[in-house]
Amino acid sequence: MSDTPAQFDRALTVVGGGVVGLTCALAAADAGWRVQVIDAGHDERASWVAGGMLGSLGEGHPGEEAALALSVESVRRWPTLVKRLDDPAIVTATDSLFVAGSAADAAYLRHLADFVWANQPRTDATLSTVTGREIRSLEPSLSSRLIGGYRAVGEWSIDNRRLLATLRSGGAAAGVRFTDARVESLTDARELAGPRDQVLLAAGLGTATLLPDVPLHAAKGEILRLRRTRWSVPPPGHVVRARIHGRAVYLVPRADGIVVGATQYEAGDVHDRVPQAGGVADLLADAIEVMPGLRTYELTEAGAGLRPCTADGLPIVERIDDHTVVATGHGRNGIVLAPGTADKVLGILEGASA
Ligand SMILES: Cc1cc2nc3c(=O)[nH]c(=O)nc-3n(C[C@H](O)[C@H](O)[C@H](O)COP(=O)(O)OP(=O)(O)OC[C@H]3O[C@@H](n4cnc5c(N)ncnc54)[C@H](O)[C@@H]3O)c2cc1C
């Protein structure tokens, strides 16, 4: 690993057009870099299947103090990114509800909330308790069996597919060039880049193929997309994150429906993006229990993706040699973390080009 700055053109080749690569590309183009993005398509793109929650408080888990701090820092940059993209419709909700199906589920949520309060992250979102009655007055379509939970005002969700399209069009308008191709190796990436270009490897899980030393593992997750029909109750105004029968399920609003997610388990095969029937069945059953009116929605997509994870839950964002920077390993929070990662990558690049 090298920290040595070197003289380079302000030219950047980004490998990977997921949320991380595109956000970095846009930040670099805005800072005056000549940027190209090379990408293998959305079939392998975790940010295409994702739910789009900007969870920071809601993603706080004991033992993950550093990850919580990083998420909170990145979430603070999101309003600026939305303004830069000039597309407020990317944001599908500005508040989240955490709801429990039983006393045991409520105890689990309390455990998470205690962790967040104990760490007192410097955040613009606020977390407060809500009763079952308050949940129903905020979201009348949720089940009357929910017994209470928390409300995070200021914890957003994003339409991830719209975001990817807007990042791409915003990048193109700022001068970013796009090439649809698979990069086979780091040598291949350097050949596709100019000799005085910097290369950013931001290929999500695919980064491990380009750099076998990068320690990534895949956490697979099933996720569903449902569309509202004319007989349906409207989607909730909040992101609804439920704990029910000891399992997590979330409902994330979209303009035309709801994204229901997501399972999480170690993928035995890093190419396995086929949803399993059991994961789909559990998600549907739990989501319908949380919001009975979901029964009349159309199930338009049952998908699965692979989260690019690291052992310590923190992304890898660092220079590995004079030509090359890596940004990967964003796990279950790549959308949350993208603006923070883009700032860090730009700082590393500017160090190299000074
Ligand atoms: C079910 C599910 C739900 C999720 N929900 C959320 C959520 O609500 N909020 C959140 O913040 N995060 C969520 N995530 C996590 C998030 O999707 C990832 O952390 C994020 O997408 C990582 O972004 P990335 O750009 O690094 O990788 P990706 O989005 O996977 O993009 C990598 C890109 O690189 C390209 N690529 C790969 N190899 C090559 C190659 N050799 N040459 C050229 N291109 C290549 C791929 O085609 C792809 O376009 C979820 C993930 C899953 C699976």
Side-chain angles (χ1 to χ4, degrees):
M1 305 265 164
S2 162
D3 294 326
T4 317
Q7 284 307 131
F8 285 96
D9 292 342
R10 287 173 73 82
L12 175 67
T13 292
V14 180
V15 180
V19 68
V20 173
L22 291 179
T23 310
C24 292
L26 181 66
D30 283 349
W33 286 65
R34 186 162 44 79
V35 183
Q36 68 163 331
V37 174
I38 305 174
D39 182 70
H42 75 63
D43 289 354
E44 296 175 18
R45 191 179 296 152
S47 33
W48 176 256
V49 294
M53 295 176 297
L54 295 191
S56 54
L57 302 184
E59 286 292 330
H61 285 84
E64 297 185 353
E65 291 76 6
L68 174 62
L70 209 59
S71 291
V72 164
E73 267 312 300
S74 191
V75 160
R76 294 172 75 85
R77 293 169 163 85
W78 260 98
T80 308
L81 179 58
V82 170
K83 204 165 161 203
R84 163 65 185 87
L85 294 171
D86 195 22
D87 185 7
I90 293 172
V91 181
T92 67
T94 56
D95 304 325
S96 298
L97 270 179
F98 303 83
V99 298
S102 69
D105 294 324
Y108 182 85
L109 289 186
R110 197 160 47 246
H111 177 60
L112 299 187
D114 286 347
F115 166 76
V116 168
W117 278 320
N119 280 275
Q120 298 191 331
R122 203 170 60 89
T123 165
D124 297 333
T126 57
L127 192 65
S128 55
T129 52
V130 281
T131 62
R133 187 188 294 260
E134 285 165 336
I135 288 170
R136 273 178 302 287
S137 92
L138 288 164
E139 293 291 354
S141 65
L142 298 190
S143 165
S144 56
R145 292 197 187 155
L146 298 169
I147 62 169
Y150 297 86
R151 184 178 187 213
V153 172
E155 190 142 310
W156 294 8
S157 61
I158 295 289
D159 180 335
N160 50 305
R161 293 183 178 177
R162 186 173 178 125
L163 168 70
L164 290 168
T166 311
L167 279 170
R168 202 170 156 119
S169 59
V176 178
R177 287 176 300 123
F178 292 92
T179 305
D180 298 333
R182 172 172 299 281
V183 173
E184 298 300 339
S185 63
L186 181 54
T187 313
D188 190 20
R190 289 199 177 129
E191 279 168 8
L192 290 163
R196 290 169 59 82
D197 278 23
Q198 291 279 306
V199 173
L200 173 65
L201 299 178
L205 199 60
T207 311
T209 311
L210 302 170
L211 281 180
D213 286 349
V214 171
L216 293 179
H217 63 103
K220 184 175 172 182
E222 279 90 15
I223 189 161
L224 314 174
R225 285 175 154 77
L226 294 99
R227 187 167 48 218
R228 183 186 176 188
T229 65
R230 62 197 167 101
W231 300 281
S232 309
V233 291
H238 291 72
V239 175
V240 178
R241 302 183 64 153
R243 184 94 194 160
I244 191 150
H245 308 307
R247 292 194 294 246
V249 65
Y250 56 73
L251 288 75
V252 191
R254 290 292 187 269
D256 64 346
I258 298 177
V259 177
V260 171
T263 56
Q264 181 160 331
Y265 53 96
E266 285 304 304
D269 170 356
V270 293
H271 302 291
D272 173 13
R273 292 178 173 87
V274 181
Q276 284 186 5
V280 172
D282 288 348
L283 288 175
L284 261 187
D286 292 350
I288 287 172
E289 210 167 320
V290 171
M291 181 181 158
L294 203 61
R295 279 184 173 282
T296 62
Y297 279 55
E298 292 169 346
L299 178 60
T300 54
E301 188 180 316
L306 300 174
R307 304 170 181 89
C309 296
T310 58
D312 63 4
L314 297 172
I316 300 164
V317 185
E318 61 190 31
R319 169 171 293 290
I320 55 163
D321 62 34
D322 282 356
H323 295 262
T324 320
V325 177
V326 174
T328 187
H330 291 75
R332 61 177 196 266
N333 285 321
I335 299 174
V336 172
L337 294 172
T341 290
D343 280 359
K344 185 164 179 192
V345 165
L346 192 59
I348 295 172
L349 291 172
E350 295 288 359
S353 68

